[in-house]
């Protein structure tokens, strides 16, 4: 399926909407990168399914419009997503970033935003989908763990992977220590990936990630403290 119906206009800073259910440290990384001139973008809205999400406070502190839309007010997922995404769309984002957004998104909403909806997931996808990824990685005994940014498709954590960062598992790691080190690398991964969107270098076409019009054969890999080549 072609996703060229969403060409991102070149004429202005990338407009980003962030969906977040909790802590919002990835949101903060984007806020800081924009403020520091490292990401040519504007966060046009933060949207949460939880009124107590720290992400909403971070948005308020940065002067970014933020709102919580609570699922319990809706009859079902479809009705919730219809209202939720109509508010997201009203902000006019070029890219919608799920950064710790903990709700499943209906297929209808995913399809309506295909090619513009991305998620950051704390594992080297396709390994360790779903929750408790750090515990899953330790349980499996892998030497390397990490994080991925991928396009969202109806297949949970299964959409085309744009970019990854690898984090070695250390002797004595528990889920918390591993999560801490992965999270520290998620932040530059997300910023760098969005920089590629901001430079209009990324597209999703025929279910493949394209960089500068060429399909990637493997996800981009973020090296330590290096931007993508
Ligand atoms: C991150 O580990 C992200 O990969 C996962 O949820 C966590 C969100 O953290 N999807 P934060 O809310 O950005 O601090």
């Amino acid at each position: 399926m072609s996703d060229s119906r969403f060409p991102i206009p070149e004429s202005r800073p990338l407009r980003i909407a962030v969906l977040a259910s909790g802590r919002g440290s990835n949101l903060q990384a984007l806020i800081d990168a924009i403020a520091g001139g490292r990401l040519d973008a504007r966060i046009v809205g933060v949207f949460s399914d939880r009124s107590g999400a720290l992400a909403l406070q971070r948005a308020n502190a940065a002067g970014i419009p933020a709102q919580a839309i609570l699922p319990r007010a809706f009859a079902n997922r479809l009705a919730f997503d219809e209202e939720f995404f109509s508010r997201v769309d009203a902000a006019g984002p070029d890219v919608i970033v799920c950064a710790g957004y903990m709700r499943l998104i209906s297929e209808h909403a995913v399809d309506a935003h295909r090619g513009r909806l991305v998620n950051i997931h704390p594992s080297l996808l396709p390994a360790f989908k779903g929750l408790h990824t750090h515990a899953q990685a330790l349980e499996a005994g892998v030497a390397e763990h990490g994080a991925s940014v991928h396009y969202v498709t109806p297949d949970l954590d299964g959409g085309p992977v744009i970019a990854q960062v690898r984090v070695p598992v250390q002797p004595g790691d528990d889920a918390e220590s591993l999560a801490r080190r992965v999270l520290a690398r998620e932040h530059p991964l997300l910023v760098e990936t969005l920089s590629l969107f901001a430079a209009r270098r990324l597209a999703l076409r025929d279910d493949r990630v394209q960089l500068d019009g060429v399909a990637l054969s493997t996800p981009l890999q973020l090296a330590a403290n290096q931007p993508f080549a």
Side-chain angles (χ1 to χ4, degrees), residues 152-179:
V152 176
T153 66
D155 178 14
L156 181 69
D157 297 331
V161 178
I162 303 166
Q164 296 182 318
V165 67
R166 313 182 93 82
V167 174
V169 177
Q170 289 176 359
D173 258 338
D174 59 17
E176 286 71 36
S177 63
L178 188 53

PDB file of all heavy atoms in Angstrom, residues 152-179:
ATOM      1  N   VAL A 152       3.598   2.795  13.130  1.00  0.00           N
ATOM      2  CA  VAL A 152       2.521   2.021  13.736  1.00  0.00           C
ATOM      3  C   VAL A 152       1.634   1.454  12.628  1.00  0.00           C
ATOM      4  O   VAL A 152       1.226   2.175  11.714  1.00  0.00           O
ATOM      5  CB  VAL A 152       1.683   2.898  14.693  1.00  0.00           C
ATOM      6  CG1 VAL A 152       0.502   2.123  15.251  1.00  0.00           C
ATOM      7  CG2 VAL A 152       2.574   3.423  15.831  1.00  0.00           C
ATOM      8  N   THR A 153       1.390   0.149  12.732  1.00  0.00           N
ATOM      9  CA  THR A 153       0.431  -0.522  11.856  1.00  0.00           C
ATOM     10  C   THR A 153      -0.529  -1.286  12.775  1.00  0.00           C
ATOM     11  O   THR A 153      -0.294  -1.341  13.989  1.00  0.00           O
ATOM     12  CB  THR A 153       1.135  -1.515  10.899  1.00  0.00           C
ATOM     13  OG1 THR A 153       1.695  -2.571  11.693  1.00  0.00           O
ATOM     14  CG2 THR A 153       2.219  -0.842  10.072  1.00  0.00           C
ATOM     15  N   PRO A 154      -1.565  -1.903  12.234  1.00  0.00           N
ATOM     16  CA  PRO A 154      -2.494  -2.616  13.115  1.00  0.00           C
ATOM     17  C   PRO A 154      -1.834  -3.783  13.864  1.00  0.00           C
ATOM     18  O   PRO A 154      -2.358  -4.247  14.873  1.00  0.00           O
ATOM     19  CB  PRO A 154      -3.578  -3.123  12.149  1.00  0.00           C
ATOM     20  CG  PRO A 154      -3.542  -2.147  11.028  1.00  0.00           C
ATOM     21  CD  PRO A 154      -2.097  -1.793  10.865  1.00  0.00           C
ATOM     22  N   ASP A 155      -0.686  -4.235  13.419  1.00  0.00           N
ATOM     23  CA  ASP A 155       0.035  -5.330  14.052  1.00  0.00           C
ATOM     24  C   ASP A 155       0.833  -4.759  15.246  1.00  0.00           C
ATOM     25  O   ASP A 155       1.809  -4.041  15.046  1.00  0.00           O
ATOM     26  CB  ASP A 155       0.967  -5.932  12.983  1.00  0.00           C
ATOM     27  CG  ASP A 155       1.811  -7.052  13.517  1.00  0.00           C
ATOM     28  OD1 ASP A 155       1.506  -7.547  14.618  1.00  0.00           O
ATOM     29  OD2 ASP A 155       2.771  -7.437  12.812  1.00  0.00           O
ATOM     30  N   LEU A 156       0.411  -5.051  16.475  1.00  0.00           N
ATOM     31  CA  LEU A 156       0.975  -4.400  17.668  1.00  0.00           C
ATOM     32  C   LEU A 156       2.503  -4.555  17.734  1.00  0.00           C
ATOM     33  O   LEU A 156       3.005  -5.684  17.726  1.00  0.00           O
ATOM     34  CB  LEU A 156       0.339  -4.985  18.934  1.00  0.00           C
ATOM     35  CG  LEU A 156       0.841  -4.358  20.242  1.00  0.00           C
ATOM     36  CD1 LEU A 156       0.365  -2.924  20.376  1.00  0.00           C
ATOM     37  CD2 LEU A 156       0.435  -5.186  21.439  1.00  0.00           C
ATOM     38  N   ASP A 157       3.199  -3.441  17.792  1.00  0.00           N
ATOM     39  CA  ASP A 157       4.668  -3.389  17.835  1.00  0.00           C
ATOM     40  C   ASP A 157       5.284  -4.119  16.631  1.00  0.00           C
ATOM     41  O   ASP A 157       6.439  -4.555  16.689  1.00  0.00           O
ATOM     42  CB  ASP A 157       5.210  -4.011  19.144  1.00  0.00           C
ATOM     43  CG  ASP A 157       4.767  -3.235  20.381  1.00  0.00           C
ATOM     44  OD1 ASP A 157       4.551  -2.017  20.264  1.00  0.00           O
ATOM     45  OD2 ASP A 157       4.628  -3.854  21.452  1.00  0.00           O
ATOM     46  N   GLY A 158       4.499  -4.248  15.563  1.00  0.00           N
ATOM     47  CA  GLY A 158       4.967  -5.033  14.419  1.00  0.00           C
ATOM     48  C   GLY A 158       5.179  -4.222  13.154  1.00  0.00           C
ATOM     49  O   GLY A 158       5.514  -4.781  12.116  1.00  0.00           O
ATOM     50  N   GLY A 159       5.010  -2.901  13.220  1.00  0.00           N
ATOM     51  CA  GLY A 159       5.145  -2.081  12.014  1.00  0.00           C
ATOM     52  C   GLY A 159       6.608  -1.920  11.611  1.00  0.00           C
ATOM     53  O   GLY A 159       7.519  -2.193  12.399  1.00  0.00           O
ATOM     54  N   PRO A 160       6.842  -1.455  10.375  1.00  0.00           N
ATOM     55  CA  PRO A 160       8.208  -1.308   9.860  1.00  0.00           C
ATOM     56  C   PRO A 160       9.083  -0.460  10.786  1.00  0.00           C
ATOM     57  O   PRO A 160       8.704   0.640  11.180  1.00  0.00           O
ATOM     58  CB  PRO A 160       8.005  -0.619   8.517  1.00  0.00           C
ATOM     59  CG  PRO A 160       6.602  -0.936   8.129  1.00  0.00           C
ATOM     60  CD  PRO A 160       5.821  -1.063   9.402  1.00  0.00           C
ATOM     61  N   VAL A 161      10.270  -1.002  11.102  1.00  0.00           N
ATOM     62  CA  VAL A 161      11.178  -0.333  12.044  1.00  0.00           C
ATOM     63  C   VAL A 161      12.026   0.681  11.284  1.00  0.00           C
ATOM     64  O   VAL A 161      12.654   0.349  10.272  1.00  0.00           O
ATOM     65  CB  VAL A 161      12.082  -1.348  12.771  1.00  0.00           C
ATOM     66  CG1 VAL A 161      13.043  -0.627  13.710  1.00  0.00           C
ATOM     67  CG2 VAL A 161      11.221  -2.344  13.567  1.00  0.00           C
ATOM     68  N   ILE A 162      12.037   1.905  11.785  1.00  0.00           N
ATOM     69  CA  ILE A 162      12.835   2.965  11.162  1.00  0.00           C
ATOM     70  C   ILE A 162      14.262   2.932  11.699  1.00  0.00           C
ATOM     71  O   ILE A 162      15.224   2.935  10.935  1.00  0.00           O
ATOM     72  CB  ILE A 162      12.205   4.350  11.449  1.00  0.00           C
ATOM     73  CG1 ILE A 162      10.756   4.408  10.951  1.00  0.00           C
ATOM     74  CG2 ILE A 162      13.055   5.460  10.827  1.00  0.00           C
ATOM     75  CD1 ILE A 162       9.965   5.595  11.475  1.00  0.00           C
ATOM     76  N   ALA A 163      14.387   2.922  13.022  1.00  0.00           N
ATOM     77  CA  ALA A 163      15.717   3.097  13.612  1.00  0.00           C
ATOM     78  C   ALA A 163      15.783   2.413  14.968  1.00  0.00           C
ATOM     79  O   ALA A 163      14.770   2.269  15.657  1.00  0.00           O
ATOM     80  CB  ALA A 163      16.012   4.593  13.765  1.00  0.00           C
ATOM     81  N   GLN A 164      17.008   2.021  15.322  1.00  0.00           N
ATOM     82  CA  GLN A 164      17.216   1.329  16.598  1.00  0.00           C
ATOM     83  C   GLN A 164      18.486   1.838  17.275  1.00  0.00           C
ATOM     84  O   GLN A 164      19.380   2.374  16.626  1.00  0.00           O
ATOM     85  CB  GLN A 164      17.383  -0.182  16.368  1.00  0.00           C
ATOM     86  CG  GLN A 164      16.136  -0.827  15.803  1.00  0.00           C
ATOM     87  CD  GLN A 164      16.275  -2.321  15.606  1.00  0.00           C
ATOM     88  OE1 GLN A 164      17.312  -2.789  15.140  1.00  0.00           O
ATOM     89  NE2 GLN A 164      15.216  -3.049  15.930  1.00  0.00           N
ATOM     90  N   VAL A 165      18.537   1.603  18.584  1.00  0.00           N
ATOM     91  CA  VAL A 165      19.775   1.807  19.317  1.00  0.00           C
ATOM     92  C   VAL A 165      20.014   0.563  20.163  1.00  0.00           C
ATOM     93  O   VAL A 165      19.080  -0.009  20.723  1.00  0.00           O
ATOM     94  CB  VAL A 165      19.727   3.098  20.169  1.00  0.00           C
ATOM     95  CG1 VAL A 165      18.726   3.013  21.308  1.00  0.00           C
ATOM     96  CG2 VAL A 165      21.106   3.474  20.667  1.00  0.00           C
ATOM     97  N   ARG A 166      21.279   0.127  20.201  1.00  0.00           N
ATOM     98  CA  ARG A 166      21.606  -1.132  20.886  1.00  0.00           C
ATOM     99  C   ARG A 166      22.265  -0.822  22.220  1.00  0.00           C
ATOM    100  O   ARG A 166      23.083   0.092  22.322  1.00  0.00           O
ATOM    101  CB  ARG A 166      22.524  -1.977  20.003  1.00  0.00           C
ATOM    102  CG  ARG A 166      22.022  -2.059  18.569  1.00  0.00           C
ATOM    103  CD  ARG A 166      22.879  -2.916  17.678  1.00  0.00           C
ATOM    104  NE  ARG A 166      22.388  -4.276  17.648  1.00  0.00           N
ATOM    105  CZ  ARG A 166      21.393  -4.710  16.882  1.00  0.00           C
ATOM    106  NH1 ARG A 166      20.782  -3.879  16.049  1.00  0.00           N
ATOM    107  NH2 ARG A 166      21.009  -5.952  16.943  1.00  0.00           N
ATOM    108  N   VAL A 167      21.916  -1.593  23.222  1.00  0.00           N
ATOM    109  CA  VAL A 167      22.444  -1.393  24.576  1.00  0.00           C
ATOM    110  C   VAL A 167      22.903  -2.756  25.107  1.00  0.00           C
ATOM    111  O   VAL A 167      22.086  -3.681  25.197  1.00  0.00           O
ATOM    112  CB  VAL A 167      21.345  -0.806  25.498  1.00  0.00           C
ATOM    113  CG1 VAL A 167      21.825  -0.720  26.932  1.00  0.00           C
ATOM    114  CG2 VAL A 167      20.898   0.564  24.989  1.00  0.00           C
ATOM    115  N   PRO A 168      24.189  -2.892  25.425  1.00  0.00           N
ATOM    116  CA  PRO A 168      24.662  -4.188  25.936  1.00  0.00           C
ATOM    117  C   PRO A 168      24.030  -4.512  27.288  1.00  0.00           C
ATOM    118  O   PRO A 168      23.849  -3.622  28.118  1.00  0.00           O
ATOM    119  CB  PRO A 168      26.172  -3.986  26.102  1.00  0.00           C
ATOM    120  CG  PRO A 168      26.502  -2.717  25.395  1.00  0.00           C
ATOM    121  CD  PRO A 168      25.259  -1.903  25.307  1.00  0.00           C
ATOM    122  N   VAL A 169      23.696  -5.775  27.480  1.00  0.00           N
ATOM    123  CA  VAL A 169      23.245  -6.238  28.801  1.00  0.00           C
ATOM    124  C   VAL A 169      24.499  -6.473  29.634  1.00  0.00           C
ATOM    125  O   VAL A 169      25.473  -7.063  29.139  1.00  0.00           O
ATOM    126  CB  VAL A 169      22.418  -7.537  28.683  1.00  0.00           C
ATOM    127  CG1 VAL A 169      22.015  -8.063  30.060  1.00  0.00           C
ATOM    128  CG2 VAL A 169      21.184  -7.293  27.809  1.00  0.00           C
ATOM    129  N   GLN A 170      24.504  -5.966  30.859  1.00  0.00           N
ATOM    130  CA  GLN A 170      25.691  -6.119  31.713  1.00  0.00           C
ATOM    131  C   GLN A 170      25.456  -7.199  32.758  1.00  0.00           C
ATOM    132  O   GLN A 170      24.317  -7.418  33.188  1.00  0.00           O
ATOM    133  CB  GLN A 170      26.005  -4.787  32.395  1.00  0.00           C
ATOM    134  CG  GLN A 170      26.530  -3.762  31.408  1.00  0.00           C
ATOM    135  CD  GLN A 170      26.768  -2.397  32.039  1.00  0.00           C
ATOM    136  OE1 GLN A 170      26.532  -2.186  33.231  1.00  0.00           O
ATOM    137  NE2 GLN A 170      27.223  -1.474  31.220  1.00  0.00           N
ATOM    138  N   PRO A 171      26.539  -7.862  33.180  1.00  0.00           N
ATOM    139  CA  PRO A 171      26.395  -8.858  34.242  1.00  0.00           C
ATOM    140  C   PRO A 171      25.751  -8.184  35.460  1.00  0.00           C
ATOM    141  O   PRO A 171      26.112  -7.061  35.799  1.00  0.00           O
ATOM    142  CB  PRO A 171      27.835  -9.279  34.563  1.00  0.00           C
ATOM    143  CG  PRO A 171      28.668  -8.794  33.428  1.00  0.00           C
ATOM    144  CD  PRO A 171      27.943  -7.674  32.767  1.00  0.00           C
ATOM    145  N   GLY A 172      24.825  -8.860  36.077  1.00  0.00           N
ATOM    146  CA  GLY A 172      24.192  -8.289  37.271  1.00  0.00           C
ATOM    147  C   GLY A 172      23.024  -7.366  36.969  1.00  0.00           C
ATOM    148  O   GLY A 172      22.386  -6.850  37.890  1.00  0.00           O
ATOM    149  N   ASP A 173      22.729  -7.121  35.681  1.00  0.00           N
ATOM    150  CA  ASP A 173      21.573  -6.273  35.338  1.00  0.00           C
ATOM    151  C   ASP A 173      20.290  -6.872  35.879  1.00  0.00           C
ATOM    152  O   ASP A 173      20.083  -8.101  35.800  1.00  0.00           O
ATOM    153  CB  ASP A 173      21.429  -6.168  33.810  1.00  0.00           C
ATOM    154  CG  ASP A 173      21.955  -4.848  33.255  1.00  0.00           C
ATOM    155  OD1 ASP A 173      22.045  -3.876  34.031  1.00  0.00           O
ATOM    156  OD2 ASP A 173      22.288  -4.813  32.056  1.00  0.00           O
ATOM    157  N   ASP A 174      19.427  -6.018  36.418  1.00  0.00           N
ATOM    158  CA  ASP A 174      18.037  -6.430  36.620  1.00  0.00           C
ATOM    159  C   ASP A 174      17.181  -5.552  35.690  1.00  0.00           C
ATOM    160  O   ASP A 174      17.712  -4.688  34.982  1.00  0.00           O
ATOM    161  CB  ASP A 174      17.623  -6.330  38.093  1.00  0.00           C
ATOM    162  CG  ASP A 174      17.767  -4.929  38.656  1.00  0.00           C
ATOM    163  OD1 ASP A 174      17.882  -3.966  37.854  1.00  0.00           O
ATOM    164  OD2 ASP A 174      17.766  -4.784  39.891  1.00  0.00           O
ATOM    165  N   ALA A 175      15.866  -5.803  35.714  1.00  0.00           N
ATOM    166  CA  ALA A 175      15.002  -5.104  34.757  1.00  0.00           C
ATOM    167  C   ALA A 175      15.105  -3.591  34.934  1.00  0.00           C
ATOM    168  O   ALA A 175      15.087  -2.839  33.948  1.00  0.00           O
ATOM    169  CB  ALA A 175      13.555  -5.578  34.914  1.00  0.00           C
ATOM    170  N   GLU A 176      15.277  -3.141  36.180  1.00  0.00           N
ATOM    171  CA  GLU A 176      15.325  -1.689  36.428  1.00  0.00           C
ATOM    172  C   GLU A 176      16.614  -1.074  35.882  1.00  0.00           C
ATOM    173  O   GLU A 176      16.581  -0.026  35.235  1.00  0.00           O
ATOM    174  CB  GLU A 176      15.217  -1.371  37.930  1.00  0.00           C
ATOM    175  CG  GLU A 176      13.829  -1.561  38.512  1.00  0.00           C
ATOM    176  CD  GLU A 176      13.426  -3.030  38.609  1.00  0.00           C
ATOM    177  OE1 GLU A 176      14.320  -3.861  38.899  1.00  0.00           O
ATOM    178  OE2 GLU A 176      12.247  -3.349  38.374  1.00  0.00           O
ATOM    179  N   SER A 177      17.741  -1.710  36.150  1.00  0.00           N
ATOM    180  CA  SER A 177      19.012  -1.122  35.697  1.00  0.00           C
ATOM    181  C   SER A 177      19.075  -1.122  34.172  1.00  0.00           C
ATOM    182  O   SER A 177      19.529  -0.151  33.547  1.00  0.00           O
ATOM    183  CB  SER A 177      20.209  -1.868  36.298  1.00  0.00           C
ATOM    184  OG  SER A 177      20.236  -3.218  35.873  1.00  0.00           O
ATOM    185  N   LEU A 178      18.575  -2.196  33.582  1.00  0.00           N
ATOM    186  CA  LEU A 178      18.576  -2.280  32.118  1.00  0.00           C
ATOM    187  C   LEU A 178      17.627  -1.227  31.533  1.00  0.00           C
ATOM    188  O   LEU A 178      17.967  -0.527  30.566  1.00  0.00           O
ATOM    189  CB  LEU A 178      18.166  -3.694  31.702  1.00  0.00           C
ATOM    190  CG  LEU A 178      18.279  -4.049  30.234  1.00  0.00           C
ATOM    191  CD1 LEU A 178      19.669  -3.752  29.677  1.00  0.00           C
ATOM    192  CD2 LEU A 178      17.941  -5.536  30.031  1.00  0.00           C
ATOM    193  N   ALA A 179      16.455  -1.094  32.142  1.00  0.00           N
ATOM    194  CA  ALA A 179      15.473  -0.101  31.668  1.00  0.00           C
ATOM    195  C   ALA A 179      16.069   1.302  31.719  1.00  0.00           C
ATOM    196  O   ALA A 179      15.872   2.108  30.800  1.00  0.00           O
ATOM    197  CB  ALA A 179      14.204  -0.153  32.516  1.00  0.00           C
TER     198      ALA A 179
END
